[in-house]
Amino acid sequence: MYYFWVPFLPMFGILVPLLTNKLNRSACTLATALLPALALCLIFLDLPAVLAGESFSKSVEWIPQLGLSLSFRLDGLAALFSILILGIGLLVILYARYYLSEKDNMGHFYSYLIMFMTAMLGIVMSNNMLQLWFYWELTSISSFLLIGFWSHNSNARKGARMALTITGAGGLALLAGIILLGQVVGSYELDVVLNSGELVKQSPYYIAILSLFLIGAFTKSAQFPFHFWLPHAMAAPTPVSAYLHSATMVKAGIFLLARFYPVLAGTETWFVVVSLTGLCTLLLGAYTALFKHDLKGLLAYSTISHLGLIVLLLGLNTELAAIAAIFHIMNHAVFKASLFMAAGIIDHESGSRDMRKINGLWKYMPITATLAMVASASMAGVPLLNGFLSKEMFFAETLEQSILGAMSWLIPVLATIAGAFSVAYSLRFIHDVFFNGEPKGLPKTPHEPPRYMRVPVEILVAICLLVGIFPNYTIGPMLQSTSLAVLNYELPEYSLSIWHGFNLALLMSGLAIVGGAAIYLNRKHLFKFSGMFPDIDAKLVFERFIQTCVMYAQKINMKLETGSLQRYAFGLCLFALLLIAPPLFDLDTTRGSLAGTPINSAVVVAAILIVAGSLATIIWSHYRLIALLMLSLVGLVVSITFAYFSAPDLALTQLSVEIVTVILLLLSLYFFPQQTPTSKSRPSHFVRDFTVASFIGCIIGSICFALMTHPLDSISAYFLDNAKIGGGGTNVVNVILVDFRGFDTFGEITVLGIAALGIHKLIARMRLSMRTKDYAGRLWAKEKYPVLLLVVSQSLLPLFLLISAYIFMRGHNLPGGGFIAGLITSIALIQQYLAHGVDWMAKRVSISYHYMIATGLSIAGLTGLGSWFFERPFLTSWFDYVSLPWIGKFELASALVFDIGVYFTVIGATLLILASLGKLTTTERLTVGER
Amino acid sequence: MELVYAICVGFMSACGIFLMLRGHTFTLVIGLTLLSYAVNLFLFASGGLTIGAPAVLNSSENYADPLPQALVLTAIVIGFAMTAFAVILAMRGRADLGSDHVDGTEPFDPLSEEKS
């Protein structure tokens, strides 16, 4: 089975035109056509089995949790559409070779075209609904690119935008529908979904699913009231109109209806909504087409009308109607693509598409004229052509339905009227363009196109004739297997012959032809009548709608995004409050069953200090230095709290971080105003903030209390049990950090390093105004570095380093470790900076802190990678006991190496932050002094 | 004891959030630091309060919960990085915009800085 590769071939083909663009045009065209041609061959290889009634599917799992898989199927319906897409695609590639001018970028055009081909093949061959949707959106995007191909043209840009908006919005509706359907069925695979029709139709979500699918299908297939984008998409180059907007993309919506026919069709809602939408579109399109002076405009509305016809057929409650619909899909694709190509030739060779100017072309291009006349006769439904057969079936089926109850007779009548209009606009296409006097004011003299530009039209017209005359031999088997795929059960009897005897359907065909001729003969009156209505330009309406949306969006955005961090923070706090408060109301009591720990005087003192410190920070927050001192008091008590409640590691870390933080804030204070202006905050804001802060405080306190007093199942026992035997250390906190949760720690030191580098970059180009006086107007002291600190710090340094080495080494078994040791070393070095200044240090310490961070991270990362050599997962630790003479038995552990990485990263990050800030002061102060 | 602890955590959070909602960068940073103290204490408390039993094996009969401690340890260090980043960002903001207001309404007025 080769079909699985079919969607991939054009996918690789997207690149081909870009690569061969530099070669000459014919070579590029040939290269582009190669892969689609190969894909078509693959389909034909699988075709005999499909025609025999088989259907294949194959899927490769991708994200099974989401029901997403790479999954393709080939049944009659997929095969039919694939042949249409690839076959007409190849003809369009040939046609475009001659249609595009030298100025157009052919490589880009072909690339977009093949991208569309890939997407379209993906839709028809997908066996997974989510995958189908992905391709569905890709058709919208590639259609946008192709409509806007001549991007210098404003109409092209607007048309492209409109098409994308409408089909894209429809695509979103479809996605919602697909997800709902997937939830109801329990699978996104089409194999399963297509056999769950009953389940879906009985589901309460059926109406929602149906509506969403119909919105998706109707927007794509330009059904009323979403039809207006299609005429504006005609700003695209004509090969695109022939390919996307008549033969394939607009059929995607119809394909969707056909594909999900077994699942969604068969209910009253389906019949009424689908058939009436189709009927409206059919009539509206047929009527409007007659009055369009633009050749492509006429064809566009005719396409809308034919799409309506197919949708109407799918909405009729007979099985034969669905078969007729499939038949008409093929026929319409063939004759409409050839007509668009003919229109493109006329435009290309005469320089105009306005039917008031182009008349009497029969004399100038007789062969093209003959081809176009045969194709439009097929569009009109003249016997011996393929359009006649499916239209006859259509008329016959309108007689069989009973959708509107007693008023069902209305449908065949309206269908005949639409048929008459279709004959009238086909007549106009023939008569107005090729006869009806002489051309008026054309930019160039019309002539036949290059030989090969006409070949695609000739092939398509030949198909029209062959199918029209020998339907059973040409299209019969294909139609049968496709119908089987659509209906998903036994086919009813039907006959494909040209002559069914005298019956009502034949009478309707006759009436339509006679009526059409009558309408065309009286066209002058009709044109005058239609001229009395105001001409509404859908583009303007649409643009105004979009502008209004943008305006409102901007207004809302302006309201939300005020640039006030206060407001954002307030909103965030309020939201957090709303989220965390409700679960608390479900809790019966705050106090849980656990017995509390008895209180003692030390705890009371600490509590008083914390409360007083916090309060003082707020009260004196205007005096920034004092606020900072109060804050550090709180931090100090916090570290004592950690020490008191059996967390020596935390206490050590908190203490050293506290020191570093306060130094940092003191340094930064130099650059900020010393005091905060008092009168700024409004009383209402004060009350608002006070209320929110108190509420959150109360809630956090309550949760904290509840957490401590309720019994808790902790996973900590595992760590306690395995720290020694698995990690080789007795300090469980450290073993968790460097071993059990080593990957977390690795991530955290990475974040630390990134933050430090970010800070370095922020500081690097900072220009701040320096003060020479303090807040009271006194000059700064002249002595730069206090002598006492100078002497003491130098003698303290070795001691500091010794302590940090000690803390580091014992970390695995006793409180300590890389984090704390790193912080202590940092503090020792910062002290040197404070005592001696940046210049003094720069001469003596030549290490770059960037490299230190990088080294630390590399050591940690490589230690983790090392375990791969022993075929263990990342960061699996290793330890063993070694005994050396003199020293005795000691432990070697890979976790210790990891901890060295942590150590270096912490030093590098801390010093990079503080030294960068410190250096800023010195250089800046110098320049200020010079001034 | 748990009650006192919880009250302290709640009070610190409230103070921190109140300071965070002020309109100047430095106050905001101080509020952030205060809040991170509270959050660290809060996380730490999720393992319960234990006295005299650090999670060092063979040192006592039962041990304090080591997991929250390990989490809080890294949280402290990351908290420092975050505070540092916020401070430097505030400085850079003041350097580039000439103001340390974050309420979005204050116009640029370098003179008011000098007066204060």
Side-chain angles (χ1 to χ4, degrees):
Chain A
M1 292 299 106
Y2 309 97
Y3 68 93
F4 198 76
W5 299 106
V6 169
F8 294 103
L9 286 174
M11 195 172 90
F12 295 119
I14 297 174
L15 294 173
V16 174
L18 297 175
L19 296 175
T20 54
N21 201 11
K22 290 268 170 19
L23 306 175
N24 72 46
R25 289 161 64 92
S26 299
C28 180
T29 311
L30 270 179
T32 307
L34 201 66
L35 285 172
L38 192 61
L40 189 60
C41 291
L42 291 184
I43 292 277
F44 277 121
L45 283 176
D46 281 341
L47 197 58
V50 173
L51 289 183
E54 285 188 57
S55 90
F56 311 105
S57 63
K58 183 181 163 93
S59 71
V60 179
E61 272 199 352
W62 184 12
I63 310 176
Q65 294 87 345
L66 294 178
L68 201 58
S69 60
L70 192 67
S71 183
F72 293 107
R73 67 188 273 130
L74 190 72
D75 54 8
L77 187 63
L80 167 74
F81 268 90
S82 305
I83 292 170
L84 280 180
I85 292 158
L86 289 165
I88 296 182
L90 284 169
L91 297 180
V92 166
I93 290 172
L94 174 64
Y95 179 81
R97 152 73 182 82
Y98 295 96
Y99 182 86
L100 293 179
S101 75
E102 295 287 338
K103 277 177 279 174
D104 297 323
N105 188 335
M106 204 160 85
H108 283 184
F109 181 82
Y110 277 149
S111 186
Y112 297 156
L113 202 70
I114 304 292
M115 191 208 284
F116 168 76
M117 189 185 273
T118 312
M120 202 61 212
L121 276 176
I123 291 183
V124 300
M125 292 187 68
S126 279
N127 193 32
N128 180 292
M129 292 197 289
L130 294 172
Q131 185 193 322
L132 185 148
W133 180 80
F134 170 78
Y135 282 118
W136 180 276
E137 289 298 81
L138 195 59
T139 59
S140 296
I141 292 166
S142 49
S143 144
F144 169 79
L145 290 170
L146 283 166
I147 298 172
F149 182 69
W150 286 326
S151 54
H152 50 84
N153 181 346
S154 143
N155 278 338
R157 292 197 304 268
K158 284 180 185 150
R161 211 155 52 203
M162 194 195 275
L164 183 67
T165 316
I166 302 294
T167 55
L172 290 180
L174 177 63
L175 178 63
I178 284 176
I179 290 173
L180 263 183
L181 182 55
Q183 294 298 319
V184 169
V185 176
S187 167
Y188 290 102
E189 294 292 304
L190 277 180
D191 292 336
V192 184
V193 174
L194 292 186
N195 290 317
S196 319
E198 285 311 307
L199 177 72
V200 175
K201 280 170 220 166
Q202 277 154 18
S203 141
Y205 299 111
Y206 172 73
I207 294 294
I209 295 173
L210 182 65
S211 327
L212 291 166
F213 265 79
L214 289 184
I215 290 174
F218 288 169
T219 47
K220 200 76 162 183
S221 284
Q223 294 298 299
F224 180 80
F226 308 111
H227 63 285
F228 55 88
W229 68 267
L230 188 58
H232 290 282
M234 293 298 147
T238 305
V240 175
S241 312
Y243 190 33
L244 271 70
H245 305 126
S246 74
T248 53
M249 188 181 99
V250 288
K251 301 269 167 56
I254 287 167
F255 169 82
L256 194 76
L257 296 183
R259 178 53 98 204
F260 289 91
Y261 195 81
V263 190
L264 298 176
T267 61
E268 195 68 16
T269 328
W270 167 281
F271 290 134
V272 171
V273 175
V274 175
S275 65
L276 290 186
T277 309
L279 189 63
C280 281
T281 317
L282 168 68
L283 283 166
L284 184 82
Y287 176 79
T288 318
L290 182 61
F291 301 103
K292 288 288 153 188
H293 298 304
D294 179 15
L295 213 51
K296 280 175 83 177
L298 184 148
L299 291 177
Y301 275 101
S302 146
T303 305
I304 292 176
S305 140
H306 280 272
L307 293 170
L309 187 154
I310 301 169
V311 169
L312 168 57
L313 275 171
L314 286 171
L316 295 180
N317 54 0
T318 65
E319 284 148 9
L320 282 174
I323 299 175
I326 295 155
F327 196 23
H328 200 69
I329 290 173
M330 305 182 212
N331 293 335
H332 176 255
V334 172
F335 69 66
K336 193 50 69 63
S338 64
L339 278 172
F340 264 110
M341 288 183 188
I345 290 175
I346 292 165
D347 183 16
H348 203 249
E349 306 306 340
S350 71
S352 173
R353 296 193 319 229
D354 193 332
M355 275 187 282
R356 287 165 298 191
K357 289 183 187 165
I358 39 172
N359 303 314
L361 289 189
W362 172 258
K363 265 188 286 182
Y364 302 94
M365 38 172 80
I367 306 176
T368 311
T370 315
L371 294 171
M373 279 150 67
V374 175
S376 35
S378 176
M379 172 162 80
V382 173
L384 290 186
L385 291 163
N386 61 352
F388 169 75
L389 293 174
S390 45
K391 208 164 239 185
E392 181 100 330
M393 282 170 93
F394 163 62
F395 284 143
E397 288 319 310
T398 54
L399 293 168
E400 299 295 322
Q401 47 73 34
S402 55
I403 289 169
L404 297 182
M407 292 304 280
S408 296
W409 60 269
L410 209 55
I411 292 184
V413 172
L414 290 172
T416 315
I417 292 174
F421 269 98
S422 148
V423 170
Y425 66 67
S426 304
L427 268 177
R428 183 173 181 215
F429 187 90
I430 297 171
H431 182 253
D432 235 3
V433 175
F434 299 111
F435 305 102
N436 200 17
E438 279 295 304
K440 292 169 204 153
L442 290 183
K444 44 186 173 182
T445 316
H447 55 81
E448 283 288 348
R451 178 71 196 91
Y452 287 103
M453 193 173 183
R454 219 170 49 209
V455 167
V457 192
E458 286 165 359
I459 294 175
L460 290 171
V461 169
I463 295 174
C464 285
L465 281 164
L466 278 176
V467 172
I469 300 171
F470 310 108
N472 275 316
Y473 300 103
T474 46
I475 204 72
M478 189 76 234
L479 182 61
Q480 186 159 8
S481 78
T482 310
S483 309
L484 193 69
V486 171
L487 294 173
N488 212 19
Y489 49 78
E490 286 300 301
L491 287 185
E493 283 291 316
Y494 66 97
S495 132
L496 261 185
S497 55
I498 304 167
W499 179 252
H500 287 108
F502 288 105
N503 55 16
L504 261 176
L506 190 70
L507 181 69
M508 285 164 78
S509 280
L511 273 177
I513 291 176
V514 175
I519 292 171
Y520 187 64
L521 286 177
N522 293 308
R523 62 187 183 283
K524 294 240 164 58
H525 306 293
L526 272 171
F527 273 78
K528 201 185 273 172
F529 174 71
S530 95
M532 291 190 301
F533 294 96
D535 192 18
I536 299 167
D537 190 350
K539 202 159 52 193
L540 292 179
V541 178
F542 179 78
E543 287 288 320
R544 193 182 325 151
F545 171 72
I546 295 292
Q547 294 296 335
T548 320
C549 286
V550 169
M551 198 185 71
Y552 278 109
Q554 269 170 345
K555 268 188 188 163
I556 293 172
N557 210 27
M558 295 275 274
K559 286 236 170 70
L560 287 177
E561 217 181 298
T562 49
S564 162
L565 186 66
Q566 271 178 301
R567 276 190 61 172
Y568 303 156
F570 181 76
L572 211 64
C573 290
L574 207 62
F575 191 63
L577 191 69
L578 289 179
L579 279 191
I580 55 177
L584 275 183
F585 296 128
D586 296 338
L587 209 62
D588 293 335
T589 53
T590 324
R591 178 181 282 284
S593 54
L594 288 187
T597 332
I599 197 160
N600 57 36
S601 53
V603 173
V604 174
V605 171
I608 291 173
L609 278 176
I610 282 188
V611 170
S614 308
L615 210 57
T617 313
I618 288 193
I619 292 171
W620 284 312
S621 67
H622 294 300
Y623 304 94
R624 294 179 171 184
L625 185 64
I626 299 176
L628 191 56
L629 290 176
M630 292 302 129
L631 181 74
S632 62
L633 169 74
V634 179
L636 208 62
V637 181
V638 168
S639 54
I640 294 171
T641 311
F642 284 137
Y644 185 73
F645 291 116
S646 324
D649 289 277
L650 288 191
L652 284 170
T653 316
Q654 177 69 51
L655 193 64
S656 26
V657 163
E658 189 56 37
I659 294 169
V660 182
T661 310
V662 170
I663 294 175
L664 174 85
L665 289 178
L666 277 172
L667 271 177
S668 74
L669 204 52
Y670 176 70
F671 300 96
F672 284 116
Q674 309 274 312
Q675 285 168 307
T676 307
T678 38
S679 59
K680 290 296 175 194
S681 59
R682 276 182 279 169
S684 62
H685 280 196
F686 181 85
V687 173
R688 182 192 73 177
D689 298 344
F690 181 79
T691 319
V692 168
S694 325
F695 264 116
I696 295 185
C698 291
I699 285 174
I700 290 182
S702 315
I703 296 177
C704 188
F705 186 67
L707 205 60
M708 283 188 287
T709 49
H710 282 74
L712 205 65
D713 272 335
S714 173
I715 54 168
S716 301
Y718 172 83
F719 299 117
L720 287 168
D721 293 342
N722 288 290
K724 184 69 185 168
I725 48 173
T730 51
N731 181 8
V732 187
V733 176
N734 185 269
V735 174
I736 291 176
L737 281 176
V738 297
D739 193 337
F740 292 122
R741 312 286 307 168
F743 200 49
D744 284 359
T745 312
F746 185 57
E748 270 146 354
I749 55 173
T750 313
V751 171
L752 190 65
I754 293 172
L757 290 177
I759 288 170
H760 180 74
K761 281 316 256 185
L762 275 177
I763 291 178
R765 304 193 59 185
M766 183 138 51
R767 290 282 170 273
L768 278 169
S769 61
M770 299 295 147
R771 301 161 182 280
T772 46
K773 295 167 186 168
D774 71 354
Y775 64 96
R778 294 170 294 213
L779 284 173
W780 292 105
K782 280 279 195 295
E783 300 87 47
K784 276 188 174 173
Y785 309 109
V787 179
L788 199 62
L789 186 62
L790 213 132
V791 176
V792 173
S793 72
Q794 225 162 336
S795 49
L796 273 180
L797 181 64
L799 195 64
F800 258 121
L801 294 180
L802 194 69
I803 291 175
S804 85
Y806 169 68
I807 292 274
F808 176 80
M809 293 304 287
R810 70 174 215 159
H812 214 42
N813 291 315
L814 289 166
F819 274 115
I820 301 162
L823 284 165
I824 292 176
T825 311
S826 308
I827 292 168
L829 291 173
I830 290 166
Q831 199 190 33
Q832 305 306 312
Y833 273 111
L834 289 177
H836 301 283
V838 175
D839 302 331
W840 189 88
M841 280 294 280
K843 281 180 209 145
R844 287 161 182 79
V845 183
S846 56
I847 312 163
S848 156
Y849 299 120
H850 303 83
Y851 287 112
M852 204 161 198
I853 296 175
T855 315
L857 284 177
S858 310
I859 292 174
L862 288 174
T863 317
L865 288 180
S867 49
W868 282 357
F869 287 102
F870 302 97
E871 294 179 358
R872 296 289 168 79
F874 186 63
L875 274 173
T876 310
S877 74
W878 165 90
F879 68 94
D880 206 347
Y881 296 93
V882 190
S883 50
L884 279 181
W886 304 103
I887 299 172
K889 189 180 152 191
F890 66 97
E891 185 194 351
L892 271 182
S894 67
L896 203 67
V897 185
F898 180 80
D899 221 10
I900 291 178
V902 175
Y903 174 73
F904 278 122
T905 315
V906 170
I907 298 178
T910 317
L911 284 177
L912 186 63
I913 295 170
L914 285 164
S916 304
L917 195 57
K919 278 172 194 158
L920 179 68
T921 343
T922 54
T923 52
E924 285 297 324
R925 186 179 269 189
L926 278 175
T927 53
V928 169
E930 278 159 14
R931 251 183 247 155
Chain B
M1 184 128 62
E2 275 80 5
L3 189 63
V4 179
Y5 188 96
I7 290 172
C8 284
V9 170
F11 192 78
M12 281 164 82
S13 321
C15 292
I17 287 170
F18 181 78
L19 283 173
M20 263 176 66
L21 293 173
R22 305 294 91 210
H24 291 270
T25 46
F26 195 80
T27 338
L28 196 146
V29 169
I30 288 194
L32 208 60
T33 316
L34 200 56
L35 186 64
S36 68
Y37 290 154
V39 170
N40 287 341
L41 281 180
F42 175 85
L43 289 179
F44 174 64
S46 64
L49 300 180
T50 323
I51 299 174
V56 175
L57 296 180
N58 309 326
S59 65
S60 63
E61 284 294 304
N62 54 344
Y63 306 107
D65 197 341
L67 191 61
Q69 293 194 19
L71 296 181
V72 170
L73 199 150
T74 47
I76 293 173
V77 180
I78 294 282
F80 162 66
M82 185 194 65
T83 311
F85 197 87
V87 170
I88 306 296
L89 195 65
M91 280 171 61
R92 183 67 190 264
R94 178 152 188 262
D96 290 357
L97 308 170
S99 157
D100 71 335
H101 300 293
V102 285
D103 49 10
T105 51
E106 294 292 330
F108 169 59
D109 185 9
L111 286 179
S112 68
E113 301 276 323
E114 290 307 313
K115 275 179 210 153
S116 62

